[in-house]
Amino acid sequence: MKKIFSAVLLIIFLSSVHVFAAGLRESSSALTEVEIWHSAQGSNAEVFDSIIETFNNTIGKEKGIVATSIYQGKANDVLTKINAASGTDSLPDIAMMDATAATDMNASDYLVTIDALGIDTSKIIECGLSSYTSEKGLLALPFNASALLYYYNKTLYDSLGLSAPETIDQMAYVVSKTGLAGSNGKLLRVGFIGIPTTFELSTFIGSQNGLSYMLDNRNGHDGVATKAVFGEEGTYKTFLLEWKKVFDTGFYSTATTGTTEEFTAGRAAAMLASSSKLATIINSAEGFEVGVASVPMVNENATGGTVISGGALFAFSDNEAVKTVLEYLVSKDVQAIWSEGTGYVPVNTESYETESYRSFLKENPLYKVASDALLSSNPGMTNVWVPSAYSIYYSFQTNIINYLNGTGVDETVSEMESIINSAIKTYREQNL
Amino acid sequence: MSFKKSGKKKHFQNKAYLYLLPALTVAAAFCWYPSVKSIVESFLVVNQGGKVIGFAAFDNYRRLFSDQAFLHSIKVSVTFILLFVPANTFVTLLAASLTRRPSRLSFIPEYIFFTPVAVSLSAYSLLMSDIFRGEASVLNNLFSTAFSGITTPAGAMAVLVILGIFLDFGLDYILLMCAFRSIDRSVIEAARMDGAGGWRLYWCVEVPMIKNTVLVTIFLALKDALLISAPIIILTEGGPYRSTETIMFYYYTEAFRSGNRAVQNALASIVLLIAGAGMTVYSIFKRKKEAL
């Protein structure tokens, strides 16, 4: 009797769950929900949320679309979660990720390309489009675009009669002048802090000879790369030889973490960082004026400019609501608001003509440096799409520090080449 | 109570298995199945989407052991174990020893020492990263010191060991203090009557009586040291220059973030093997002790 009673209870319970679930689907069918996973933090998150809120109160209300923004950690955390959610129905409709996601997304069967959504991209900046274009088409819509910048302590530079260096050779001279040692030989201030890795090298190597690549297949954009080419083209070696000059000044810190904190505390006179950090750095600089300039060129022939960085919006649902939200997010006014609030470079060419963005740049000229650098760069400059991207990121740091500490330059280059080639080989054997 | 030669025995066993069924189902679904799957797939070529596309034999293992980053991560893990396990055992045993006698004020150190159990790993890791981040760290600002903290390889390892001790401290302290306080008072009284006191009573009577608990804390510390990755993700990201990239952080980077299935399955199988070996040694050791 007990068993029969339990069975009846179980059936009632299960059927109620079914009815409840069905009810949920029905109630949500009136409005289409578009879930967006993003990586914007702090004040950037507030700006993003307010942009989404404006959408929901205007276009969304009109078309029956509700967009929800969910913070999922840094860009690489979003990728980790997308990879974990792939193959399930937990994928969001849109995700904000950076170039490290491109290899995985290009290989995935769940990404909906921007071309497939039929979004008009004629107003999107060229370097933004080329950096997310693969043999499959446009993988993602550039949204939070930024550029690598040379940040320096302008107050200090001015007091010494120095200006931002244009080449690494000049940088070595400036670093030697801005570093400061105490009477006991201990460094009180370094002239430069930070060790370049994949992100910085895509510019340092990419800009050489007008345009160069780190990997073949246009840095992996025309199909998965088959090998590293910075060895045979000599571009990595050229960079290392120049960078050693900075190290040899004795006023160079090879720290990999806390570089921004050291710079804003005045213990480092210069560093390289993304333009997306501009607002934070200006606000936290202690007792000095911040200056920014384009990344120093490796040599006079390195005229390619800078690689676009930051992130883009990847879509995982093919419907009109997703298209509407994406079009809204890259529209000229939204991009102007987003850029003014965060320091990112507008990806819509028409945003530069808006009255609000023009007056914003007039009041905040530092924000113009990144967009000028990007727009004057060779549009062929692309970020690197390499498998095992995170491992390679750490390998570059170790590889460079070993070189600075005495490993031969040719040995350093060939070691890095073999690390990358081995990662590419493993990936190709497993996936192609 | 004996069930020998009784029909009740079988009934009792069946019931016991029935009670175990939910736990066994969970273990089968979330532990045994993925373990067996990893071991089988470590000999196959599996693409990022999880599809099997060929037979790899020992290629995945060969690839893993030819990766300099992996070999380096073994060195880092061994260094961490050698630094962390003795330091952790010493610190927790010292704290438990000093507060083992209950008194009217013992709730104060107990409260302080129990607190780490209630704070999340991420919160501690973030706090540590601010306290020890380079020359401009909170620590250096407060005490006008010049500790390089997590910006140098040695400093980063030291901070990681300190963080590891903090994370394990609460639980280990509770275990050790409970063991000290549950020692049969008559044994201590007898030792006292025989003239033992102070250091001798502590070292020759009390410590031997809690050695099984000390052993448990050592094995827990070993397990934590071998599997440490979350604090590293937050605190150092394996750096600087891979100096804190342990085996599990390497696994996280390659397998989880980069979707490298070759590394994922081969390394998961190896760690499973090491953990299995560790557990076997522990249980043999425990059985021998119980048999004595």
PDB file of all heavy atoms in Angstrom, chain B residues 35-57:
ATOM      1  N   SER B  35      36.346   9.233 -14.422  1.00  0.00           N
ATOM      2  CA  SER B  35      37.709   8.705 -14.264  1.00  0.00           C
ATOM      3  C   SER B  35      38.010   7.668 -15.337  1.00  0.00           C
ATOM      4  O   SER B  35      39.040   7.734 -16.009  1.00  0.00           O
ATOM      5  CB  SER B  35      37.878   8.059 -12.883  1.00  0.00           C
ATOM      6  OG  SER B  35      37.554   8.976 -11.892  1.00  0.00           O
ATOM      7  N   VAL B  36      37.083   6.711 -15.472  1.00  0.00           N
ATOM      8  CA  VAL B  36      37.300   5.644 -16.464  1.00  0.00           C
ATOM      9  C   VAL B  36      37.347   6.256 -17.872  1.00  0.00           C
ATOM     10  O   VAL B  36      38.197   5.899 -18.698  1.00  0.00           O
ATOM     11  CB  VAL B  36      36.182   4.568 -16.358  1.00  0.00           C
ATOM     12  CG1 VAL B  36      36.294   3.565 -17.492  1.00  0.00           C
ATOM     13  CG2 VAL B  36      36.270   3.863 -15.014  1.00  0.00           C
ATOM     14  N   LYS B  37      36.459   7.231 -18.121  1.00  0.00           N
ATOM     15  CA  LYS B  37      36.399   7.885 -19.434  1.00  0.00           C
ATOM     16  C   LYS B  37      37.743   8.575 -19.729  1.00  0.00           C
ATOM     17  O   LYS B  37      38.272   8.468 -20.840  1.00  0.00           O
ATOM     18  CB  LYS B  37      35.267   8.912 -19.433  1.00  0.00           C
ATOM     19  CG  LYS B  37      34.909   9.449 -20.800  1.00  0.00           C
ATOM     20  CD  LYS B  37      33.591  10.221 -20.718  1.00  0.00           C
ATOM     21  CE  LYS B  37      33.230  10.821 -22.050  1.00  0.00           C
ATOM     22  NZ  LYS B  37      33.764  12.147 -22.265  1.00  0.00           N
ATOM     23  N   SER B  38      38.291   9.271 -18.724  1.00  0.00           N
ATOM     24  CA  SER B  38      39.573   9.964 -18.913  1.00  0.00           C
ATOM     25  C   SER B  38      40.679   8.970 -19.241  1.00  0.00           C
ATOM     26  O   SER B  38      41.491   9.212 -20.134  1.00  0.00           O
ATOM     27  CB  SER B  38      39.971  10.725 -17.645  1.00  0.00           C
ATOM     28  OG  SER B  38      39.259  11.910 -17.581  1.00  0.00           O
ATOM     29  N   ILE B  39      40.709   7.868 -18.497  1.00  0.00           N
ATOM     30  CA  ILE B  39      41.773   6.883 -18.719  1.00  0.00           C
ATOM     31  C   ILE B  39      41.665   6.306 -20.137  1.00  0.00           C
ATOM     32  O   ILE B  39      42.646   6.217 -20.865  1.00  0.00           O
ATOM     33  CB  ILE B  39      41.720   5.761 -17.654  1.00  0.00           C
ATOM     34  CG1 ILE B  39      42.072   6.355 -16.282  1.00  0.00           C
ATOM     35  CG2 ILE B  39      42.672   4.616 -18.003  1.00  0.00           C
ATOM     36  CD1 ILE B  39      41.821   5.442 -15.109  1.00  0.00           C
ATOM     37  N   VAL B  40      40.439   5.943 -20.533  1.00  0.00           N
ATOM     38  CA  VAL B  40      40.246   5.372 -21.877  1.00  0.00           C
ATOM     39  C   VAL B  40      40.626   6.413 -22.941  1.00  0.00           C
ATOM     40  O   VAL B  40      41.389   6.129 -23.874  1.00  0.00           O
ATOM     41  CB  VAL B  40      38.778   4.907 -22.066  1.00  0.00           C
ATOM     42  CG1 VAL B  40      38.525   4.517 -23.514  1.00  0.00           C
ATOM     43  CG2 VAL B  40      38.466   3.747 -21.140  1.00  0.00           C
ATOM     44  N   GLU B  41      40.140   7.656 -22.762  1.00  0.00           N
ATOM     45  CA  GLU B  41      40.391   8.686 -23.777  1.00  0.00           C
ATOM     46  C   GLU B  41      41.842   9.158 -23.810  1.00  0.00           C
ATOM     47  O   GLU B  41      42.270   9.767 -24.783  1.00  0.00           O
ATOM     48  CB  GLU B  41      39.449   9.882 -23.549  1.00  0.00           C
ATOM     49  CG  GLU B  41      38.011   9.553 -23.927  1.00  0.00           C
ATOM     50  CD  GLU B  41      37.097  10.759 -23.925  1.00  0.00           C
ATOM     51  OE1 GLU B  41      37.516  11.840 -23.463  1.00  0.00           O
ATOM     52  OE2 GLU B  41      35.951  10.607 -24.387  1.00  0.00           O
ATOM     53  N   SER B  42      42.599   8.866 -22.745  1.00  0.00           N
ATOM     54  CA  SER B  42      44.013   9.258 -22.762  1.00  0.00           C
ATOM     55  C   SER B  42      44.797   8.463 -23.809  1.00  0.00           C
ATOM     56  O   SER B  42      45.903   8.832 -24.171  1.00  0.00           O
ATOM     57  CB  SER B  42      44.634   9.112 -21.370  1.00  0.00           C
ATOM     58  OG  SER B  42      44.772   7.750 -21.052  1.00  0.00           O
ATOM     59  N   PHE B  43      44.199   7.378 -24.297  1.00  0.00           N
ATOM     60  CA  PHE B  43      44.861   6.590 -25.349  1.00  0.00           C
ATOM     61  C   PHE B  43      44.224   6.838 -26.724  1.00  0.00           C
ATOM     62  O   PHE B  43      44.497   6.134 -27.677  1.00  0.00           O
ATOM     63  CB  PHE B  43      44.796   5.089 -25.013  1.00  0.00           C
ATOM     64  CG  PHE B  43      45.526   4.759 -23.736  1.00  0.00           C
ATOM     65  CD1 PHE B  43      44.829   4.547 -22.553  1.00  0.00           C
ATOM     66  CD2 PHE B  43      46.915   4.697 -23.718  1.00  0.00           C
ATOM     67  CE1 PHE B  43      45.506   4.273 -21.373  1.00  0.00           C
ATOM     68  CE2 PHE B  43      47.598   4.416 -22.543  1.00  0.00           C
ATOM     69  CZ  PHE B  43      46.894   4.210 -21.355  1.00  0.00           C
ATOM     70  N   LEU B  44      43.352   7.853 -26.770  1.00  0.00           N
ATOM     71  CA  LEU B  44      42.671   8.156 -28.034  1.00  0.00           C
ATOM     72  C   LEU B  44      42.957   9.590 -28.474  1.00  0.00           C
ATOM     73  O   LEU B  44      43.402  10.409 -27.670  1.00  0.00           O
ATOM     74  CB  LEU B  44      41.153   7.990 -27.857  1.00  0.00           C
ATOM     75  CG  LEU B  44      40.657   6.615 -27.399  1.00  0.00           C
ATOM     76  CD1 LEU B  44      39.180   6.681 -27.060  1.00  0.00           C
ATOM     77  CD2 LEU B  44      40.898   5.560 -28.470  1.00  0.00           C
ATOM     78  N   VAL B  45      42.683   9.882 -29.740  1.00  0.00           N
ATOM     79  CA  VAL B  45      42.773  11.268 -30.213  1.00  0.00           C
ATOM     80  C   VAL B  45      41.359  11.847 -30.120  1.00  0.00           C
ATOM     81  O   VAL B  45      40.441  11.353 -30.771  1.00  0.00           O
ATOM     82  CB  VAL B  45      43.262  11.343 -31.679  1.00  0.00           C
ATOM     83  CG1 VAL B  45      43.366  12.797 -32.126  1.00  0.00           C
ATOM     84  CG2 VAL B  45      44.596  10.643 -31.835  1.00  0.00           C
ATOM     85  N   VAL B  46      41.206  12.861 -29.270  1.00  0.00           N
ATOM     86  CA  VAL B  46      39.884  13.451 -29.062  1.00  0.00           C
ATOM     87  C   VAL B  46      39.960  14.927 -29.450  1.00  0.00           C
ATOM     88  O   VAL B  46      40.877  15.628 -29.021  1.00  0.00           O
ATOM     89  CB  VAL B  46      39.454  13.338 -27.572  1.00  0.00           C
ATOM     90  CG1 VAL B  46      38.032  13.837 -27.387  1.00  0.00           C
ATOM     91  CG2 VAL B  46      39.576  11.904 -27.095  1.00  0.00           C
ATOM     92  N   ASN B  47      39.024  15.386 -30.249  1.00  0.00           N
ATOM     93  CA  ASN B  47      39.087  16.803 -30.642  1.00  0.00           C
ATOM     94  C   ASN B  47      38.448  17.707 -29.586  1.00  0.00           C
ATOM     95  O   ASN B  47      37.900  17.209 -28.589  1.00  0.00           O
ATOM     96  CB  ASN B  47      38.505  17.017 -32.042  1.00  0.00           C
ATOM     97  CG  ASN B  47      36.988  16.940 -32.066  1.00  0.00           C
ATOM     98  OD1 ASN B  47      36.334  16.842 -31.033  1.00  0.00           O
ATOM     99  ND2 ASN B  47      36.424  16.973 -33.258  1.00  0.00           N
ATOM    100  N   GLN B  48      38.524  19.021 -29.817  1.00  0.00           N
ATOM    101  CA  GLN B  48      38.030  19.970 -28.811  1.00  0.00           C
ATOM    102  C   GLN B  48      36.553  19.785 -28.500  1.00  0.00           C
ATOM    103  O   GLN B  48      36.113  20.039 -27.387  1.00  0.00           O
ATOM    104  CB  GLN B  48      38.267  21.402 -29.294  1.00  0.00           C
ATOM    105  CG  GLN B  48      39.508  21.987 -28.698  1.00  0.00           C
ATOM    106  CD  GLN B  48      39.632  23.472 -28.983  1.00  0.00           C
ATOM    107  OE1 GLN B  48      38.927  24.025 -29.811  1.00  0.00           O
ATOM    108  NE2 GLN B  48      40.553  24.111 -28.305  1.00  0.00           N
ATOM    109  N   GLY B  49      35.799  19.327 -29.492  1.00  0.00           N
ATOM    110  CA  GLY B  49      34.366  19.120 -29.291  1.00  0.00           C
ATOM    111  C   GLY B  49      34.063  17.835 -28.543  1.00  0.00           C
ATOM    112  O   GLY B  49      32.903  17.520 -28.297  1.00  0.00           O
ATOM    113  N   GLY B  50      35.119  17.057 -28.218  1.00  0.00           N
ATOM    114  CA  GLY B  50      34.926  15.818 -27.463  1.00  0.00           C
ATOM    115  C   GLY B  50      34.725  14.594 -28.337  1.00  0.00           C
ATOM    116  O   GLY B  50      34.443  13.508 -27.844  1.00  0.00           O
ATOM    117  N   LYS B  51      34.872  14.756 -29.671  1.00  0.00           N
ATOM    118  CA  LYS B  51      34.679  13.615 -30.576  1.00  0.00           C
ATOM    119  C   LYS B  51      35.960  12.807 -30.706  1.00  0.00           C
ATOM    120  O   LYS B  51      37.050  13.387 -30.873  1.00  0.00           O
ATOM    121  CB  LYS B  51      34.261  14.101 -31.963  1.00  0.00           C
ATOM    122  CG  LYS B  51      32.802  14.437 -32.049  1.00  0.00           C
ATOM    123  CD  LYS B  51      32.438  14.832 -33.466  1.00  0.00           C
ATOM    124  CE  LYS B  51      31.109  15.559 -33.475  1.00  0.00           C
ATOM    125  NZ  LYS B  51      31.024  16.572 -34.480  1.00  0.00           N
ATOM    126  N   VAL B  52      35.839  11.476 -30.640  1.00  0.00           N
ATOM    127  CA  VAL B  52      37.011  10.616 -30.800  1.00  0.00           C
ATOM    128  C   VAL B  52      37.307  10.499 -32.291  1.00  0.00           C
ATOM    129  O   VAL B  52      36.434  10.140 -33.074  1.00  0.00           O
ATOM    130  CB  VAL B  52      36.727   9.215 -30.205  1.00  0.00           C
ATOM    131  CG1 VAL B  52      37.904   8.288 -30.457  1.00  0.00           C
ATOM    132  CG2 VAL B  52      36.440   9.324 -28.717  1.00  0.00           C
ATOM    133  N   ILE B  53      38.562  10.835 -32.682  1.00  0.00           N
ATOM    134  CA  ILE B  53      38.853  10.785 -34.117  1.00  0.00           C
ATOM    135  C   ILE B  53      39.985   9.814 -34.455  1.00  0.00           C
ATOM    136  O   ILE B  53      40.400   9.723 -35.594  1.00  0.00           O
ATOM    137  CB  ILE B  53      39.161  12.187 -34.698  1.00  0.00           C
ATOM    138  CG1 ILE B  53      40.293  12.875 -33.933  1.00  0.00           C
ATOM    139  CG2 ILE B  53      37.946  13.070 -34.712  1.00  0.00           C
ATOM    140  CD1 ILE B  53      40.782  14.122 -34.638  1.00  0.00           C
ATOM    141  N   GLY B  54      40.486   9.093 -33.464  1.00  0.00           N
ATOM    142  CA  GLY B  54      41.528   8.111 -33.779  1.00  0.00           C
ATOM    143  C   GLY B  54      42.143   7.501 -32.532  1.00  0.00           C
ATOM    144  O   GLY B  54      41.751   7.837 -31.406  1.00  0.00           O
ATOM    145  N   PHE B  55      43.090   6.604 -32.748  1.00  0.00           N
ATOM    146  CA  PHE B  55      43.778   5.934 -31.648  1.00  0.00           C
ATOM    147  C   PHE B  55      45.145   6.580 -31.477  1.00  0.00           C
ATOM    148  O   PHE B  55      45.874   6.771 -32.446  1.00  0.00           O
ATOM    149  CB  PHE B  55      43.904   4.444 -31.976  1.00  0.00           C
ATOM    150  CG  PHE B  55      44.571   3.642 -30.891  1.00  0.00           C
ATOM    151  CD1 PHE B  55      43.994   3.565 -29.616  1.00  0.00           C
ATOM    152  CD2 PHE B  55      45.760   2.981 -31.130  1.00  0.00           C
ATOM    153  CE1 PHE B  55      44.610   2.834 -28.605  1.00  0.00           C
ATOM    154  CE2 PHE B  55      46.382   2.253 -30.121  1.00  0.00           C
ATOM    155  CZ  PHE B  55      45.804   2.174 -28.851  1.00  0.00           C
ATOM    156  N   ALA B  56      45.500   6.915 -30.252  1.00  0.00           N
ATOM    157  CA  ALA B  56      46.753   7.640 -30.042  1.00  0.00           C
ATOM    158  C   ALA B  56      47.831   6.792 -29.391  1.00  0.00           C
ATOM    159  O   ALA B  56      48.981   7.207 -29.321  1.00  0.00           O
ATOM    160  CB  ALA B  56      46.491   8.864 -29.167  1.00  0.00           C
ATOM    161  N   ALA B  57      47.453   5.611 -28.893  1.00  0.00           N
ATOM    162  CA  ALA B  57      48.384   4.773 -28.097  1.00  0.00           C
ATOM    163  C   ALA B  57      48.970   5.628 -26.964  1.00  0.00           C
ATOM    164  O   ALA B  57      48.214   6.228 -26.208  1.00  0.00           O
ATOM    165  CB  ALA B  57      49.445   4.159 -28.989  1.00  0.00           C
TER     166      ALA B  57
END
